[in-house]
Amino acid sequence: MDALARPIIPPAPFVHPDELSTPRLVIETLRNTLGNWSQVAFDEVVGRRVVLGIESLLVSDPDGIRHVMQTNMANYVRPIATVRPLRPLAGAGLLLSEQPEWKRQRRMLAPAFTPGSVESLLPHFQAAAEGLVRRLEGQTRVNLSAAFHDTALDAVLRALFSISALEGRGDLAGLVRDYMAGPGRPTIFDGFAPTEGSFAFVGGARRRFQTRWFAAVDAIIAGRRAASADRDHGDLLDLLLAARDPETGAPLSDAEVRDQCATMLLAGFETTSRVLFWSTYLLSLDAAEQTRLRQEVVACPPDGVTTLADLQHWPRLRQVLLEAMRLYPPVPVLMRQALGPDTVCGVAIGKGCLVWISPWVLHRHNRFWDQPTAFMPGRFAGKPTPWISEPGYMPFGGGPRICIGAGFALAEASIVLATVLAKFEISLDDDRTVMPVGGVTTAPNIEPWFRIERVA
Ligand code: HEM
């Protein structure tokens, strides 16, 4: 895009001019949780509402967010409805743990996500990216949403266990995919469950999945323990087996290692695949931006990357990834439930209140952004870690529970996107409108066809 050209305004659900009535709100929410917002949400920084007897508070004020996610975080937990479908996948790992267990786990896992550790995983990301290019070779019309899904799963399995999702371990990948498309989808029972174990009679498929899933992950870990003499695989499992509690020196038990591995898989693959999809989609709308990125990555080819510092040769590519996560945040909402009454931004809330901190709303908020709906990657120039420096930007969450895998995800996404752009010119080959839909992640409503043409 030259300096005078207008920025692209990519698709997003309609913003309602006035607050919706309760029946309309319910209908719109069932249709798309990103399509139920009214203009006031993008202008004001706090709003309380009671719908069907359920109290909720939308907080976009930076001090209010800090209060909920940090200062008074002991008063807030993830709501049962959001935990239930994830538990069979993630067990008692970091994502779903609560205090005081959470603190111990976070301390033990932190060394596995330092820049030095992420750097040691770069060859796994390169292998996953090269695998994607091989699968795309010879094709002209491709479903990149599915391709990035496979690649992100492949990358995280390689980084965790040094195995590929697509070369011989299809069982593991298929298991996760089938769960997410089947029993892992949230149900009405999740919405009304008073405890995590309620309505056990509808949980059979989830329990069966968990048994098979945990057995599969256990088998990989047992195999690695059996080969303990050969400990240097350069993967996350090595780091988890070596992790020690800083206070007691105790290692993680087998069940804990398994739950952390399962958690990384859950937290790491769909989120990253969405960033790759939305970035590519935006680049297919903005051909000039795509050309600019290709020049950047061709000048410093992805297969030559050996350190995290090498990724700094692609500043514009990083800005595009950050802007894609602003416009289409992979995690569209961070839900918390109040354990007791509280006051947030001067608004009194009761026990049980659902607190919405919505990256979707925040990232398009008029208070924080110039031309919020426009694709303008340059807004992130000179901002290496905007998820920390910018109050209106939180794709990785915030406070002490901020995503532990942010560095991992950005390194992986940079390498995969750079590898694809270095090889192919990508354009949209589909007349249907691509609309973001809210769920656990921000998904496209359809998986559009893209045309790819070899450029190198
Ligand atoms: C672009 C990709 C990613 C995005 C947008 C993302 C986003 C997030 C967000 C928003 C949270 C906070 C959730 C909340 O507070 O309710 C979170 C937590 C977490 N993420 Fe990520 N994530 C990504 C990739 C990854 C990867 C690759 C891993 C691991 C390999 C990972 C592991 C985790 C874990 C373990 C937590 C829980 C942290 C805690 O509670 O202490 N994430 N992520």
Side-chain angles (χ1 to χ4, degrees):
M1 190 186 73
D2 66 57
L4 296 175
R6 288 224 186 121
I8 289 183
I9 311 287
F14 176 71
V15 175
H16 305 276
D18 302 310
E19 285 237 39
L20 298 179
S21 65
T22 296
R24 261 307 283 295
L25 185 68
V26 172
I27 291 168
E28 295 294 342
T29 305
L30 289 173
R31 260 193 212 139
N32 182 359
T33 53
L34 305 179
N36 62 4
W37 297 106
S38 50
Q39 188 55 46
V40 66
F42 301 92
D43 294 331
E44 301 295 331
V45 287
V46 66
R48 178 180 172 278
R49 217 173 153 175
V50 179
V51 175
L52 303 173
I54 300 170
E55 182 188 26
S56 61
L57 188 77
L58 173 68
V59 187
S60 302
D61 176 70
D63 289 338
I65 292 174
R66 204 170 307 114
H67 177 82
V68 173
M69 301 195 88
Q70 190 161 352
T71 327
N72 199 22
M73 68 185 280
N75 189 45
Y76 295 91
V77 289
R78 292 205 169 84
I80 286 167
T82 62
V83 171
R84 270 169 59 106
L86 301 181
R87 183 69 75 192
L89 260 171
L94 185 64
L95 182 71
L96 301 184
S97 64
E98 293 295 347
Q99 287 279 31
E101 181 50 25
W102 166 79
K103 198 169 177 191
R104 186 185 74 88
Q105 291 191 16
R106 180 94 189 194
R107 264 199 327 238
M108 284 184 83
L109 294 191
F113 289 92
T114 59
S117 301
V118 173
E119 192 162 274
S120 69
L121 302 175
L122 294 177
H124 295 299
F125 304 151
Q126 283 159 320
E130 283 152 18
L132 169 63
V133 166
R134 273 198 304 279
R135 291 192 300 284
L136 294 177
E137 282 303 351
Q139 298 193 53
T140 50
R141 201 164 186 258
V142 292
N143 174 348
L144 284 179
S145 172
F148 285 138
H149 218 243
D150 287 344
T151 305
L153 188 55
D154 194 34
V156 77
L157 278 174
R158 285 175 186 272
L160 268 171
F161 305 128
S162 300
I163 60 174
S164 165
L166 305 155
E167 291 151 23
R169 299 305 302 219
D171 49 343
L172 216 58
L175 208 59
V176 177
R177 238 194 315 267
D178 291 351
Y179 178 75
M180 285 186 151
R185 293 165 77 105
T187 68
I188 190 99
F189 292 103
D190 296 322
F192 286 98
T195 69
E196 237 191 281
S198 305
F199 308 124
F201 58 92
V202 291
R206 287 182 181 174
R207 281 192 296 277
R208 282 193 296 281
F209 161 78
Q210 187 172 50
T211 306
R212 288 181 62 200
W213 167 235
F214 279 6
V217 180
D218 279 340
I220 296 169
I221 297 168
R224 180 65 64 83
R225 287 228 195 259
S228 57
D230 172 25
R231 292 206 35 121
D232 189 14
H233 298 80
D235 59 23
L236 276 177
L237 183 53
D238 273 353
L239 297 170
L240 291 175
L241 292 174
R244 294 290 178 272
D245 186 318
E247 273 170 21
T248 65
L252 292 165
S253 69
D254 278 5
E256 285 174 324
V257 171
R258 178 203 60 210
D259 285 7
Q260 298 305 353
C261 289
T263 291
M264 298 313 157
L265 232 148
L266 163 71
F269 102 93
E270 194 162 298
T271 43
T272 314
S273 96
R274 296 298 182 217
V275 184
L276 287 165
F277 171 80
W278 288 113
S279 303
T280 310
Y281 173 70
L282 288 163
L283 292 173
S284 74
L285 300 182
D286 192 337
E289 187 66 54
Q290 187 181 147
T291 304
R292 182 174 175 173
L293 289 202
R294 186 164 299 107
Q295 285 162 356
E296 194 174 80
V297 299
V298 166
C300 184
D303 53 8
V305 167
T306 55
T307 64
L308 286 183
D310 289 340
L311 299 179
Q312 288 172 18
H313 294 301
W314 305 328
R316 190 70 180 188
L317 180 120
R318 187 177 173 95
Q319 289 160 31
V320 165
L321 291 170
L322 295 170
E323 179 70 338
M325 287 198 290
R326 185 187 70 81
L327 286 164
Y328 301 110
V331 181
V333 64
L334 311 168
M335 295 290 294
R336 295 292 187 270
Q337 191 155 26
L339 294 171
D342 197 6
T343 302
V344 183
C345 303
V347 180
I349 57 167
K351 175 181 172 179
C353 177
L354 289 176
V355 178
W356 292 63
I357 295 165
S358 168
W360 174 265
V361 171
L362 209 55
H363 291 184
R364 291 166 177 265
H365 203 288
N366 291 312
R367 186 80 58 103
F368 303 115
W369 304 99
D370 172 37
Q371 301 188 59
T373 56
F375 174 53
M376 303 195 311
R379 67 171 92 234
F380 288 109
K383 294 179 179 163
T385 51
W387 59 92
I388 293 168
S389 64
E390 304 304 300
Y393 190 65
M394 42 189 315
F396 296 115
R401 296 203 73 151
I402 196 165
C403 178
I404 201 169
F408 176 118
L410 278 171
E412 176 195 334
S414 300
I415 287 177
V416 173
L417 188 59
T419 307
V420 172
L421 288 175
K423 294 277 190 262
F424 302 103
E425 196 173 295
I426 303 168
S427 53
L428 203 56
D429 192 13
D430 210 310
D431 293 335
R432 297 170 295 170
T433 307
V434 179
M435 195 55 80
V437 177
V440 175
T441 60
T442 303
N445 63 332
I446 53 156
E447 295 195 318
W449 291 103
F450 290 86
R451 183 160 296 279
I452 55 170
E453 222 171 290
R454 197 81 155 90
V455 288

